[in-house]
Amino acid sequence: MLDEAPMGRLQIMAVALCVMLNALDGFDVLAISFASPGIAAEWGIDRGALGIVLSMELIGMAVGSVLLGGLADRIGRRPTILLCLMVMAAGMLAATFSFSVVSLSAVRLVTGLGIGGMLACTNAIVAELANARSRSLAVALMAAGYPIGAILGGSVASMLLVSGGWRDIFLLGGVVTAIFLPLTFMLLPESIGFLLQRRPANALERINRLMARMGRNPLAALPAPDPVAPKASFAALLSPGLARTTVLLTAAYFFHIMTFYFILKWVPKIVVDMGYAPSSAGGVLVWANVGGLLGALSLSALSWRLDVRALVIGALLFSTAMVTVFGQGQAGLSGLALVAAAAGFFTNAAVVGLYAIIAHAFPTAVRAGGTGIVIGVGRGGAALGPIVAGFLFTLDFKLQAVAIVMASGSLIAACALILLLARRSSIQVTT
């Protein structure tokens, strides 16, 4: 019924709230990037040590996506999102009291748990609240919140760096995250798809309350359970029917996210090392996220009419090219900003499209868990990317060579999606 009906006000409001929650994710993840020049200067750490610090919340995100994504398939999307917000707020505020690389790394690791779980949950709940026609668009718009948060937060962070210190960035993130706790509690509904699948106590009553808020007629009784629906477990994701999809999507996300986070994590430090001020470096990163936002919105609009898988493969190929071009260096700050924006356009368009593909690939019973596995294991690439780049820099590799190595992640991801697309086409022909 909800798949075929137009989107109602409650559904649109919930999707909009998830866009804002993902924007919050975007700022929380990149807070350490904006703060990295100040951290390096205050504590006197080299690129190798900084690469480890930059990756700690990404490791936490990997663990959080897997564990909390699976938890959301058991207790619900809404309570898990509220838990993630509490962890994120506490972690951001705790970062302001860090006094060493070890303490900051530990705090960012914990913060990453909440960020990773949040992304798995919002991706699942948006897919389940949207109708069939709007699902790809809704998920892509949700993912577009990430660069919005980076742009708005980065603009404020650049101003804070002029007049204050790097700890002010984390203070801002902690306060804003805490504000979203009561808003989410009041405005975000539970997924009806989850309630139908898990059938907790008073499921019919809870579903009918939500149906009334959506302006729909109540159900007289719950429909019969789907006898072939997979159980909410990690084992189901590696069953014969889902294993290939899980593995190929995880590989695509893993390798592309290495490329994506090379740009997001290393741009400020690279620009500062070229002789520019930290505030200027933050500005270049903001432009990378402006490009990312435009890429996300462009792919969202195109997905309304075109096959999202073909769009993502094209974005991945252009991502490979533009990250390579970024590594060649530019004559001035404006040139750096322009190339960073172009790289951000294609890298983030591909990420947004991958989220839409993931939302369609898994059934309701394992959607949050499947999303969590793909994003969680894939976040290993996010954590590995800054570390590999930092290691290559310590081996005296030039920026050009490092950029080529890191750009290859997008190319490998495109190959994985081509294999997935070819497999599905073969199945359809055989059928």
Side-chain angles (χ1 to χ4, degrees):
M1 186 192 307
L2 294 176
D3 266 355
E4 297 174 1
M7 292 276 285
R9 183 173 60 182
L10 178 63
Q11 292 161 286
I12 294 172
M13 180 183 65
V15 171
L17 177 60
C18 287
V19 172
M20 290 187 283
L21 290 174
N22 205 34
L24 191 63
D25 253 17
F27 175 72
D28 283 2
V29 170
L30 293 184
I32 191 72
S33 297
F34 293 116
S36 63
I39 294 169
E42 179 176 328
W43 292 338
I45 58 177
D46 61 17
R47 282 178 164 185
L50 186 59
I52 294 174
V53 176
L54 292 175
S55 295
M56 291 311 295
E57 91 270 7
L58 300 178
I59 295 171
M61 288 168 70
V63 177
S65 294
V66 174
L67 296 183
L68 297 180
L71 181 67
D73 280 335
R74 290 170 171 79
I75 70 169
R77 285 57 165 129
R78 182 173 177 270
T80 308
I81 287 174
L82 291 170
L83 173 62
C84 292
L85 279 171
M86 287 188 283
V87 173
M88 290 163 60
M92 292 293 284
L93 293 173
T96 63
F97 299 100
S98 298
F99 54 87
S100 67
V101 170
V102 174
S103 63
L104 181 59
S105 296
V107 166
R108 293 305 293 169
L109 181 68
V110 173
T111 308
L113 295 173
I115 296 172
M118 175 70 75
L119 186 53
C121 293
T122 52
N123 201 63
I125 198 170
V126 166
E128 291 160 9
L129 288 173
N131 62 19
R133 184 164 187 256
S134 303
R135 187 161 293 128
S136 290
L137 176 62
V139 173
L141 287 174
M142 180 278 300
Y146 191 98
I148 292 174
I151 292 166
L152 296 178
S155 300
V156 176
S158 295
M159 292 186 288
L160 290 175
L161 288 172
V162 173
S163 58
W166 60 266
R167 287 179 175 82
D168 295 338
I169 297 173
F170 293 108
L171 179 61
L172 170 67
V175 171
V176 175
T177 303
I179 290 172
F180 270 90
L181 266 168
L183 289 176
T184 303
F185 181 82
M186 291 185 293
L187 300 178
L188 186 68
E190 183 55 271
S191 158
I192 288 180
F194 166 80
L195 294 173
L196 283 172
Q197 185 63 44
R198 292 294 292 177
R199 303 185 180 232
N202 303 317
L204 180 60
E205 180 183 346
R206 293 173 65 183
I207 289 171
N208 282 336
R209 283 202 301 265
L210 289 173
M211 295 290 280
R213 291 175 64 187
M214 293 180 182
R216 312 294 179 196
N217 294 326
L219 302 178
L222 294 176
D226 185 354
V228 299
K231 301 297 182 182
S233 67
F234 293 136
L237 298 169
L238 297 176
S239 63
L242 288 175
R244 184 183 177 87
T245 296
T246 301
V247 170
L248 287 175
L249 283 178
T250 301
Y253 191 83
F254 180 96
F255 285 105
H256 176 60
I257 215 71
M258 285 184 66
T259 305
F260 180 71
Y261 274 100
F262 165 67
I263 290 292
L264 292 187
K265 292 295 187 181
W266 276 104
V267 160
K269 182 61 176 171
I270 289 170
V271 175
V272 167
D273 288 348
M274 291 178 178
Y276 296 100
S279 57
S280 298
V284 174
L285 184 56
V286 168
W287 276 109
N289 283 283
V290 169
L293 174 60
L294 294 175
L297 295 177
S298 298
L299 189 134
S300 300
L302 291 171
S303 69
W304 188 258
R305 298 290 183 185
L306 302 176
D307 181 13
V308 69
R309 293 170 297 183
L311 291 172
V312 174
I313 290 170
L316 288 168
L317 295 176
F318 278 107
S319 169
T320 304
M322 293 313 305
V323 174
T324 301
V325 171
F326 173 79
Q328 306 309 304
Q330 301 298 316
L333 197 62
S334 58
L336 282 170
L338 179 61
V339 175
F345 182 96
F346 291 110
T347 54
N348 198 58
V351 171
V352 165
L354 281 169
Y355 290 145
I357 292 172
I358 293 166
H360 282 285
F362 296 105
T364 301
V366 292
R367 180 170 285 125
T371 302
I373 285 288
V374 172
I375 295 175
V377 177
R379 287 293 180 190
L384 191 61
I387 292 175
V388 169
F391 179 70
L392 293 174
F393 280 129
T394 60
L395 293 179
D396 290 330
F397 277 69
K398 301 301 182 184
L399 176 60
Q400 294 92 330
V402 174
I404 290 172
V405 172
M406 303 310 298
S408 66
S410 295
L411 183 60
I412 296 171
C415 294
L417 284 188
I418 290 170
L419 287 174
L420 182 63
L421 185 59
R423 173 66 174 173
R424 289 186 177 177
S425 298
S426 173
I427 291 174
Q428 290 172 356
V429 170
T430 302
T431 304

